[in-house]
């Protein structure tokens, strides 16, 4: 932590970390995108005790420890980037409402993301929620974690999201839109390391959508 603080660039106010089962899983997490773009280091925490350790420590040398998976993560962006995201977000209101209706109680909220730059979507832990890693640890020890709904964050500048909005605008009742929303959600679950409820259904849905996309591209 002392080494981390010594390398912090001017303007960085927090110590950022990510918790996961393996270094590779953490390094590839979409939650790191905005923080990395700012040039900030992220601590990779892959030990079982880390979830409890960070809760107990909270800060070091006056710098707060902040999880990049936290719903309240705030990363400064340029005025130009902020304006672009706000414009795109306003046009996606209908898609967000559709996603909330499709996913129902599986998510607490569907909203635009400030942390994503390359990925289309991710799931984040709301205040008071339990991290995916801690959930897996508790289940592995025969304990059921407290119920916790994730927040689905959508990257408003991603081409896939823009294309999905176009399809939804053209046909608001399209079942294809619902299928893509399900795929985005289950993809986000897999990315955070959470097993999906029905892998076979996910595979069938993905195959159907890929077939439709390839067929359209071949015409």
């Amino acid at each position: 932590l002392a080494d981390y603080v010594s390398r912090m660039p001017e303007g960085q106010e927090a110590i950022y970390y990510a918790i996961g089962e393996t270094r590779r899983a953490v390094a590839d997490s979409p939650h790191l995108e905005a923080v990395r773009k700012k040039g900030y280091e992220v601590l990779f925490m892959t030990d079982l005790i880390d979830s409890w350790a960070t809760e107990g420590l909270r800060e070091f040398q006056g710098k707060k420890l902040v999880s990049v998976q936290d719903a309240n993560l705030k990363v400064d962006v340029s005025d130009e980037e902020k304006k672009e995201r706000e414009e795109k977000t306003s046009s996606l209101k209908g898609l967000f409402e559709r996603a909330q209706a499709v996913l129902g109680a599986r998510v607490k909220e569907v909203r635009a993301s400030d942390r994503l730059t390359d990925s289309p979507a991710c799931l984040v832990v709301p205040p008071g929620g339990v991290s995916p890693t801690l959930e897996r640890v508790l289940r592995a020890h025969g304990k059921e974690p407290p119920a916790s709904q994730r927040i689905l964050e959508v990257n408003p500048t991603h081409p896939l999201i823009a294309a999905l909005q176009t399809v939804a605008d053209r046909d608001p009742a399209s079942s294809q839109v619902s299928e893509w929303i399900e795929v985005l959600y289950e993809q986000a679950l897999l990315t955070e390391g959470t097993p999906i409820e029905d892998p076979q259904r996910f595979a069938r849905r993905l195959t159907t959508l890929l077939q439709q996309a390839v067929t359209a591209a071949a015409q």
Side-chain angles (χ1 to χ4, degrees), residues 179 198-209:
E179 293 292 286
D198 190 342
Q200 287 75 25
R201 185 182 177 192
F202 172 74
R204 289 195 301 270
R205 179 185 291 121
L206 192 58
T207 298
T208 298
L209 293 172

Side-chain angles (χ1 to χ4, degrees), residues 52-108:
W52 287 275
T54 52
E55 285 297 316
L57 188 57
R58 296 197 177 270
E59 68 174 52
F60 178 79
Q61 293 185 1
K63 305 291 185 181
K64 290 185 177 180
L65 271 70
V66 176
S67 169
V68 295
Q69 295 137 318
D70 194 295
N72 292 330
L73 176 71
K74 299 295 181 184
V75 180
D76 292 333
V77 296
S78 67
D79 291 339
E80 183 178 343
E81 288 177 311
K82 187 176 181 180
K83 183 179 180 181
E84 180 187 9
R85 285 181 177 272
E86 288 176 347
E87 290 175 349
K88 290 183 179 294
T89 298
S90 62
S91 67
L92 294 172
K93 183 180 178 182
L95 183 62
F96 290 172
E97 292 175 349
R98 177 71 176 275
Q100 183 69 70
V102 169
L103 299 175
R106 284 176 287 174
V107 295
K108 182 176 182 179

Side-chain angles (χ1 to χ4, degrees), residues 21 48 52 130-150 189 192-196:
E21 290 190 287
L48 293 179
W52 287 275
V130 179
S131 72
T133 302
L134 184 53
E135 283 187 351
R136 290 193 292 273
V137 170
L138 291 172
R139 289 195 174 101
H141 288 79
K143 298 179 180 179
E144 188 62 26
S148 177
Q149 292 173 302
R150 302 280 192 272
L189 282 175
E192 72 169 19
T194 300
I196 56 179

